[in-house]
Amino acid sequence: MSPNAPPARPRLAEHVLARRHLIGEEEIIVLHDLRTGQLLQLGGREWGLLAVADGTRDVEGIVLAAAREGAHARVRAVEDFFAELHTAGLLAAEDAVEAAAPPGAVEAAAPPGAVEAAAPPGAVEAAAPPGAVEAAAPPGAVEAAMDERARRDRPIEVLPDFSLHCDGRGSCCRLYASVIFDPEEAARARALRPDVLGGGARHERAFTPERGAWPCAASAVALRDGRCAYLEGGGRCSLHAIGGPEAKPLGCRIFPVSYLDDGESVRVSVAVECACVLASVGRPAGAPLLDPRLRVLGDLDERVHVAELPERVEVAPGVTAARAELVAWSRRLAAAAPPSDLAAGLFSLAAAVEARGLAADTLARYERPGPLDPAALAPWLAALHARAARREREDAAWRSERDLARMAARWIAAAAAALGDPELLAALLSTPAERPERERFYLRAALHGHRLLGALPLSLALRDRAVRLVVSRALPAIFAAVGASDPACAEPLALVEAMLRAHGLDAYAVEVADAR
């Protein structure tokens, strides 16, 4: 076979996410390539072909299997279709193990606290028969087992002085490109609401596989105008309304909570990606982030994803520090006196970290920063505008005008473009933040959950967060200009945070870093 020819038995690559969208009454499948950010729109017939291409069938077998499901096509047309997918890099190489998507790749993201699908019963162990002689443990196995036991006993440290008041408007259910259900959750949803897209009779009418095209351990629900298909018109979850909170997928139940093991404790924090989070700041008697009876890592549901902080972290380009140093520094920063302008404080702190690492005296630059320089912000704002404008153009080709993600990309692009005017930017920077207490909470939650660490070194992540604050301050003027009244507009910072993570806009900062 020619090296440029598609696999004889094709299947969709696992770095490609297939998501079903309903725009009005039109149904389409959008393929998201996590490696490149490419989007490809398919119709129902093309998806019917992909859905039966499981890597065991050749093209003729795919044609026969698809015909049984009502997707009829000629062999030559199907060969051309898979050749196009292969050229676009969307098919899995035969017998290949795929690498993870690189940092900054565009993701069809799930809400934070995303749940890892459990292995099917019996899949975990291939047990030895009774009386079998056990092989000696490999070198290091005992130590690894002891480390795992110690990790399970790691204490849980919940973000203090915060409880959540959910407004029940479903903003979070209207913004994310993937809402993930495990098999049991999907079956329960279809039983409670069999009328939703006819999913009661056929799983594949309401769901697509989490990755690739062939059924796997988890599924993504179809979206109607960007909303979870199980969301009612008033913003209420119909699964919750009928079956109570336990009827929702675990990822939805724990949203917006995040979990991270930093080697000393499991930090339980909150992602500031929903208006409800910032609206809850300073309000007592809300729902706790975690049941207080859960005290150590081993108490958590095994399906909850607990991220781990690496042993060493990049604090500036090419400079790393030990995890324990970062944890101590993070605690000192959380306890430091907040500056009068948080965005200026973060930008100034970034320069100090690049000059001095995690030395204690770097915090003085944070507490007493100079004014933000519009020229220093300009390349960051230009890159964010380019990324958001690109997303807006791509979304306009297939997303509904009622889709919150499409509107939000447009608003962010407009705000970043407006701030390209040096005079307007200077005027914004000279105006005090309207809600400084919510900006301070934003940083406190990020520090507690170590959410500043990811694709970027810490110093660049600090600048990125300053840019997000500045753009969120500009958004109310954009909302007023276009007459936006969506509930998600009540907290612009939360909208910026959700869009940057969930729709790949955060890759703008990687582009700025690469250009430095």
Side-chain angles (χ1 to χ4, degrees):
M1 183 178 68
S2 166
N4 295 322
R9 292 175 172 79
R11 64 182 175 87
L12 196 64
E14 291 186 5
H15 65 265
V16 181
L17 309 185
R19 298 295 180 256
R20 176 175 279 109
H21 289 262
L22 289 96
I23 296 87
E25 297 304 316
E26 180 185 5
E27 180 177 340
I28 64 171
I29 299 292
V30 177
L31 303 184
H32 302 251
D33 186 340
L34 295 183
R35 291 180 174 176
T36 66
Q38 175 186 4
L39 301 179
L40 181 65
Q41 180 178 327
L42 302 179
R45 186 168 68 97
E46 290 86 358
W47 175 245
L49 296 169
L50 266 180
V52 297
D54 61 356
T56 68
R57 295 183 173 101
D58 60 14
V59 169
E60 291 186 357
I62 291 170
V63 170
L64 291 173
R68 288 195 294 268
E69 297 296 325
H72 299 278
R74 297 181 182 275
V75 170
R76 181 54 186 273
V78 174
E79 289 175 340
D80 291 343
F81 172 62
F82 281 105
E84 291 177 7
L85 294 179
H86 176 66
T87 300
L90 302 180
L91 296 183
E94 290 179 308
D95 301 323
V97 177
E98 299 189 42
V106 176
E107 297 188 7
V115 180
E116 296 184 339
V124 177
E125 297 182 7
V133 178
E134 297 185 4
V142 174
E143 292 83 352
M146 292 176 64
D147 288 346
E148 179 57 26
R149 282 197 295 270
R151 184 170 182 265
R152 289 182 60 81
D153 290 336
R154 194 96 76 213
I156 289 174
E157 187 177 352
V158 180
L159 177 70
D161 304 320
F162 179 80
S163 59
L164 183 66
H165 295 262
C166 178
D167 64 12
R169 293 184 176 183
S171 292
C172 55
C173 311
R174 298 186 293 123
L175 196 59
Y176 295 98
S178 297
V179 181
I180 303 301
F181 289 61
D182 72 19
E184 181 181 345
E185 291 165 346
R188 182 169 59 236
R190 292 190 295 112
L192 289 173
R193 289 294 310 276
D195 56 308
V196 171
L197 304 180
R202 299 281 294 272
H203 172 88
E204 65 274 13
R205 290 178 180 169
F207 295 92
T208 53
E210 180 188 14
R211 289 176 179 265
W214 193 243
C216 54
S219 301
V221 72
L223 304 176
R224 185 184 294 277
D225 293 333
R227 304 157 53 96
C228 172
Y230 290 101
L231 191 67
E232 294 177 338
R236 286 275 293 167
C237 172
S238 64
L239 301 178
H240 188 147
I242 296 172
E246 295 301 311
K248 296 188 294 188
L250 182 59
C252 295
R253 296 203 304 271
I254 66 177
F255 176 83
V257 179
S258 64
Y259 302 81
L260 187 137
D261 180 354
D262 68 8
E264 297 178 5
S265 64
V266 175
R267 299 285 194 97
V268 177
S269 190
V270 62
V272 182
E273 296 184 7
C274 179
C276 298
V277 173
L278 291 177
S280 299
V281 173
R283 294 176 60 190
L289 295 183
L290 190 69
D291 186 331
R293 293 173 295 181
L294 306 178
R295 298 182 178 180
V296 298
L297 174 61
D299 293 338
L300 297 176
D301 188 310
E302 292 182 354
R303 296 173 296 165
V304 173
H305 176 58
V306 180
E308 291 188 61
L309 197 61
E311 291 286 348
R312 296 197 68 82
V313 293
E314 194 172 13
V315 297
V319 179
T320 65
R323 178 171 64 184
E325 291 181 74
L326 178 75
V327 172
W329 179 88
S330 179
R331 292 185 186 277
R332 292 197 301 271
L333 177 56
S340 57
D341 182 346
L342 183 59
L346 294 177
F347 223 85
S348 180
L349 178 61
V353 167
E354 288 177 346
R356 300 274 297 143
L358 301 180
D361 60 2
T362 59
L363 299 187
R365 296 281 299 275
Y366 165 75
E367 295 176 324
R368 296 180 295 279
L372 261 173
D373 179 6
L377 283 173
W380 294 79
L381 293 168
L384 178 56
H385 170 258
R387 175 65 60 164
R390 171 188 164 187
R391 174 59 62 203
E392 180 191 5
R393 289 192 301 270
E394 292 175 345
D395 287 354
W398 61 276
R399 283 189 185 272
S400 163
E401 281 284 357
R402 298 181 295 275
D403 192 316
L404 177 57
R406 178 179 176 182
M407 293 188 288
R410 182 190 310 141
W411 298 331
I412 292 171
L419 294 174
D421 180 339
E423 292 186 4
L424 192 152
L425 178 57
L428 180 74
L429 295 178
S430 65
T431 303
E434 184 178 347
R435 294 172 173 173
E437 77 287 351
R438 297 189 179 186
E439 291 190 356
R440 290 195 291 269
F441 172 82
Y442 165 67
L443 177 62
R444 182 164 72 89
L447 290 172
H448 186 84
H450 298 299
R451 298 183 66 85
L452 296 178
L453 304 173
L456 296 170
L458 174 62
S459 64
L460 297 181
L462 291 167
R463 290 188 176 94
D464 167 38
R465 278 1 188 239
V467 172
R468 298 183 191 204
L469 290 171
V470 170
V471 170
S472 69
R473 294 173 190 174
L475 276 174
I478 302 298
F479 298 153
V482 300
S485 58
D486 192 282
C489 297
E491 298 292 348
L493 179 54
L495 188 62
V496 169
E497 282 292 292
M499 283 297 297
L500 262 65
R501 187 185 69 84
H503 292 274
L505 302 189
D506 56 357
Y508 93 96
V510 178
E511 294 167 356
V512 176
D514 290 343
R516 284 169 61 91

